Amino acid sequence: EPEVTQTPSHQVTQMGQEVILRCVPISNHLYFYWYRQILGQKVEFLVSFYNNEISEKSEIFDDQFSVERPDGSNFTLKIRSTKLEDSAMYFCASSEAARRIYEQYFGPGTRLTVT
Amino acid sequence: KQEVTQIPAALSVPEGENLVLNCSFTDSAIYNLQWFRQDPGKGLTSLLLIQSSQREQTSGRLNASLDKSSGRSTLYIAASQPGDSATYLCAVNSGSRLTFGEGTQLTVNP
């Protein structure tokens, strides 16, 4: 069964460093998403991406964050100048063409620890 | 702004019991609602998707209902098993984003 994959599973970085989290969405999906979950808190939406551009972003997704689809398979989240409060589990998700109708499938997550 | 609330926050039941998890949302203008399962430190596994036009969706021992006008959904788990122990998350789709509740932590005791 097709699944969303994410690498790395755990990333440790120092405050102020840049990190790139990588995702491979399900191959025939056209909508891609990033969510995060701070330990003990709700899963929060960050950004959705379609046709090589951001379709929606939350108030969390400020200039520190960027997303890219560098090739036909990968979808990345870049965090510039990480802060302690960026420590969280980051989930990538994807869905088929009609974002309002179709199910979102989530990857296993990348645990980001900022020290 | 959409807000999603789940009750109870935690539930402990003996094996074999039927149980109901509740989810409520503030804005009834939704496209669909998904129920997820999350094991500790793991990702989100989609259990059921219920479209806004549907009242009910079933998968195995799971049954989800949706009352869009009142802003409520329930997840019914029949004949619970220890392997059902996990956190169950409700999420509503009001556009391209999912808005999640805080989850119900379920423990099924053998």
Side-chain angles (χ1 to χ4, degrees):
Chain A
E1 185 174 328
E3 58 183 19
V4 177
T5 60
Q6 291 184 242
T7 55
S9 57
H10 190 191
Q11 173 95 44
V12 181
T13 190
Q14 288 190 327
M15 194 168 52
Q17 296 297 306
E18 175 182 286
V19 295
I20 297 176
L21 309 183
R22 302 179 192 280
C23 168
V24 178
I26 294 173
S27 62
N28 64 330
H29 286 186
L30 299 178
Y31 281 86
F32 315 117
Y33 314 84
W34 283 101
Y35 293 81
R36 79 173 185 189
Q37 185 178 33
I38 295 171
L39 187 64
Q41 297 187 21
K42 291 185 180 186
V43 177
E44 301 172 291
F45 170 80
L46 293 177
V47 65
S48 60
F49 190 87
Y50 171 71
N51 200 25
N52 282 319
E53 60 183 26
I54 291 173
S55 54
E56 187 177 356
K57 61 182 181 180
S58 72
E59 57 280 2
I60 302 170
F61 194 89
D62 59 21
D63 292 343
Q64 180 194 12
F65 295 92
S66 62
V67 289
E68 190 178 31
R69 186 144 163 89
D71 54 44
S73 59
N74 290 285
F75 179 51
T76 63
L77 174 69
K78 181 189 290 186
I79 309 175
R80 286 181 280 274
S81 190
T82 50
K83 298 177 279 196
L84 293 176
E85 54 265 38
D86 294 328
S87 294
M89 183 77 95
Y90 288 81
F91 294 109
C92 173
S94 68
S95 65
E96 291 184 58
R99 66 178 190 261
R100 295 169 182 174
I101 298 175
Y102 285 94
E103 193 166 356
Q104 292 188 23
Y105 292 86
F106 281 70
T110 292
R111 181 170 299 284
L112 177 65
T113 302
V114 183
T115 62
Chain B
K1 182 184 171 184
Q2 180 73 269
E3 297 284 346
V4 179
T5 304
Q6 291 187 245
I7 295 173
L11 182 63
S12 181
V13 300
E15 182 177 2
E17 194 159 296
N18 303 325
L19 58 101
V20 175
L21 308 181
N22 298 287
C23 172
S24 61
F25 47 94
T26 55
D27 185 351
S28 62
I30 68 169
Y31 294 104
N32 58 51
L33 183 147
Q34 277 184 257
W35 281 93
F36 293 87
R37 169 187 173 134
Q38 185 175 32
D39 293 285
K42 302 293 185 182
L44 307 177
T45 301
S46 182
L47 298 173
L48 286 165
L49 171 78
I50 185 163
Q51 300 291 355
S52 62
S53 58
Q54 295 177 313
R55 301 277 299 182
E56 208 170 288
Q57 193 68 247
T58 298
S59 175
R61 294 183 294 109
L62 305 179
N63 176 277
S65 70
L66 175 64
D67 184 343
K68 200 174 78 158
S69 61
S70 68
R72 293 180 183 176
S73 176
T74 62
L75 180 67
Y76 174 84
I77 302 177
S80 58
Q81 303 169 357
D84 294 332
S85 297
T87 297
Y88 290 80
L89 302 174
C90 164
V92 298
N93 185 343
S94 311
S96 64
R97 68 172 72 188
L98 290 179
T99 303
F100 283 81
E102 293 192 357
T104 294
Q105 186 174 1
L106 174 66
T107 304
V108 181
N109 301 299

